[in-house]
Amino acid sequence: MPLTVIECDYISPIDDKSTHVVRDGALVYDASSAGGARLLWVGKRRDLDHVFKFHRLKRIDRRQFVACPGLFDLHFHWVQDDVRLMPKDSLLKWLEQYTWPYEQRFSKPSYTQKRARRFKRELHQVGTLGGFVYGSLHAESVTEALKQFVGDFVVGNVLMTMNSPQYLCQTSSQALKIVKALAKKYTHHYAVTPRFAPTVHPEVMRESARIARLHDCFIQTHLSENTDEIRFVLELFRAMKGFEKVKSYTDIYHQLGLLGPKTIFGHCLHLSAGEWQLLKRTQSVIAHCPTSNASVKDNGLGSGLFSLEKAERYKIRWALASDIGGGPYLSMFDVMNSFVQQHQKAKVKQATYSMALNRATLESAKIMGLEHRVGALSAGLEANFLLLKKTDTQLLTLNRFFASIKERLQHDRASSQELVSETWYQGRRIFSSSSKTTGQ
Ligand SMILES: [Zn+2]
């Protein structure tokens, strides 16, 4: 069998400050290898004949395209696809009016199956091949997502046992029964997922955190998204026995055993110094969701801007996320673009495209413990990549690449969902915008 060569330009993250940018490059892999194709070699196209002089090569000409690694989204709600563009004047109102009634539909397994199939296609279309996912409170929202989504996903059913509408509320024992069964079955592909502190009884959070540790699962939840929410959480918990002296929102989760290196907190916008310290000490992870936190006029929830400086100062592990449906678009290119625009506007100079790419690929893979398999385009890693059509034929640079995306999204942000021409997973094409191939 010949080796497969994708001839294309490519970009691949090194770290926050640097990126490989290669013009006239080539990605080489053995498509016939069992268990998923891995890249054997990446480099300049002109070196192919020399490096592979004893091999037969099947060349696939994609010289009009730029490849980048499959993308990761560290926090999104796959069951909120239909509410992402609904009015978002206030977080709690948006949840009550649109999000929760919509999530209730997932109580029907046939609906869940149908929607999972559709969401899988959306993931292929935007090139997201991994990340942390919130389902509804129903177990099927986890099983269907894990069955259908292609790539490296960790999924959890949201826990809601109090302060939730009756139609979307479980008893503590119902919730724990599901957690136990799914944690045991899916281990590190499962995330114990308290929706957020006010909707879950403390003893359910404590017990489910214990179950997560027992089965090597992840934990994910929301933390410190806006000031009304923080006030509400603190009032609620300080009136509960055992939490009278709780210092902060983060401290509540800490007391319940939720913090740790396998815990991902969404948002974290209004943390005190003590909370940053706690996250640092426990090596907890933050999912930064710039498009969801953006202003209401930009289809976000207007929650504020994440402090990149503090995250860096406290050496917190973090990566980027769309937070669909708090965020309006699933495309991580929209998220990366918004990340750079918002932080640059706030004069946060370290927020570059290089950092954005790193935090939507390699850094996310590290957080998932998968950097030995995915996250970049280098030899030994899986042949997972996207192809984007080149907009100019001049010298490829990272800034030029993203500048053309920025320009396009300025005119038509919804077109972020159409930036990717092809998505390849383990050496197989699973999406093509021209033929609408959906593969698996
Ligand atoms: Zn969220």
Side-chain angles (χ1 to χ4, degrees), residues 128-299:
T128 296
L129 293 174
F132 288 92
V133 190
Y134 287 60
S136 61
L137 51 63
H138 316 95
E140 291 78 14
S141 69
V142 174
T143 48
E144 278 306 316
L146 283 173
K147 198 158 94 188
Q148 299 210 35
F149 298 174
V150 177
D152 295 292
F153 292 97
V154 175
V155 190
N157 52 304
V158 288
L159 303 176
M160 298 172 81
T161 63
M162 64 179 196
N163 293 315
S164 305
Q166 216 198 341
Y167 63 84
L168 210 60
C169 192
Q170 291 169 322
T171 64
S172 298
S173 62
Q174 278 171 333
L176 284 171
K177 202 172 150 199
I178 296 177
V179 169
K180 264 185 211 155
L182 295 179
K184 204 170 157 199
K185 185 169 178 192
Y186 295 116
T187 63
H188 59 283
H189 298 291
Y190 180 66
V192 160
T193 309
R195 174 157 222 136
F196 65 144
T199 67
V200 196
H201 285 94
E203 60 273 19
V204 175
M205 283 197 267
R206 188 178 281 121
E207 178 59 11
S208 54
R210 192 190 66 79
I211 297 169
R213 280 191 298 277
L214 187 68
H215 295 287
D216 199 27
C217 307
F218 285 90
I219 295 174
Q220 60 181 349
T221 188
H222 296 89
L223 170 62
S224 198
E225 185 168 355
N226 72 46
T227 45
D228 284 348
E229 170 211 8
I230 298 166
R231 208 175 307 121
F232 174 49
V233 171
L234 288 175
E235 267 174 31
L236 186 74
F237 275 79
R238 281 175 181 158
M240 281 187 212
K241 201 164 173 300
F243 293 91
E244 298 88 343
K245 292 191 177 140
V246 84
K247 289 195 208 76
S248 63
Y249 196 166
T250 308
D251 194 26
I252 295 169
Y253 288 139
H254 184 47
Q255 287 200 19
L256 294 167
L258 265 72
L259 274 61
K262 292 192 83 167
T263 301
I264 291 89
F265 290 109
H267 306 301
C268 299
L269 299 181
H270 310 279
L271 301 178
S272 64
E275 291 180 284
W276 283 108
Q277 291 281 8
L278 259 182
L279 294 181
K280 180 189 174 177
R281 216 174 68 217
T282 55
Q283 296 176 47
S284 301
V285 179
I286 295 177
H288 172 25
C289 315
T291 52
S292 170
N293 304 150
S295 64
V296 173
K297 98 175 158 31
D298 286 327
N299 285 123

Side-chain angles (χ1 to χ4, degrees), residues 76 119-128 149 153 330:
F76 66 96
F119 202 86
K120 169 179 117 166
R121 288 196 292 271
E122 290 178 32
L123 288 166
H124 291 181
Q125 191 184 350
V126 296
T128 296
F149 298 174
F153 292 97
L330 187 61

Side-chain angles (χ1 to χ4, degrees), residues 75 77 222 267 323:
H75 173 135
H77 303 251
H222 296 89
H267 306 301
D323 191 27

Side-chain angles (χ1 to χ4, degrees), residues 78-79 101-117 136-144 148 167-168:
W78 86 265
V79 295
Y102 179 66
E103 287 191 16
Q104 168 58 8
R105 297 187 199 174
F106 291 80
S107 60
K108 244 176 106 184
S110 58
Y111 182 78
T112 309
Q113 265 172 28
K114 193 175 83 188
R115 292 307 301 233
R117 266 197 300 277
S136 61
L137 51 63
H138 316 95
E140 291 78 14
S141 69
V142 174
T143 48
E144 278 306 316
Q148 299 210 35
Y167 63 84
L168 210 60

Side-chain angles (χ1 to χ4, degrees), residues 1-5 28-34 36-40 383 426-427:
M1 280 286 279
L3 298 175
T4 303
V5 180
V28 181
Y29 59 89
D30 179 1
S32 67
S33 66
R38 297 209 178 201
L39 294 165
L40 296 169
Q426 294 185 340

